[in-house]
Amino acid sequence: MFAPGDSMVLVPLALGLLGLGWSAALIGGSALLTSSVDPASRVALQGATDAAMNVAAAASAALSGVVLGVAGFAGVNVVATLVLVPLVVAGLAVLRDARRRVAS
């Protein structure tokens, strides 16, 4: 959408940023999960969340091919935005509530 698909500079840069964001979210989420549950539940809960993440990734990969075929990269970006924006809004709300609790 912002760069041609054959750009030898922008496509690798975008993919690198995507990987960096994925890794940061995965590591941060795992750290939050393990620090917020008691040790007896950690292994089972981490396994369940990893399994859920892998199922979601497989379903997303399969569906993204369909979306790409029907609507192109712009359609994939629109769907990704529809998924990402509510998550960002929810994350900011949780962060705001946590800051309020710390301040009071």
Side-chain angles (χ1 to χ4, degrees):
M1 188 165 155
F2 296 114
D6 60 350
S7 172
M8 295 302 287
V9 173
L10 295 177
V11 171
L13 178 64
L15 291 174
L17 290 172
L18 175 67
L20 182 65
W22 175 270
S23 296
L26 183 62
I27 292 169
S30 293
L32 286 171
L33 179 70
T34 58
S35 68
S36 65
V37 297
D38 61 294
S41 302
R42 260 186 213 153
V43 174
L45 187 57
Q46 188 69 46
T49 57
D50 286 350
M53 180 185 64
N54 289 326
V55 168
S60 298
L63 292 175
S64 67
V66 173
V67 174
L68 180 63
V70 171
F73 281 110
V76 172
N77 288 330
V78 168
V79 171
T81 301
L82 292 174
V83 171
L84 180 63
V85 168
L87 292 173
V88 169
V89 170
L92 291 173
V94 168
L95 182 62
R96 184 187 61 223
D97 290 345
R99 286 184 178 169
R100 280 188 190 150
R101 278 183 267 151
V102 169
S104 59

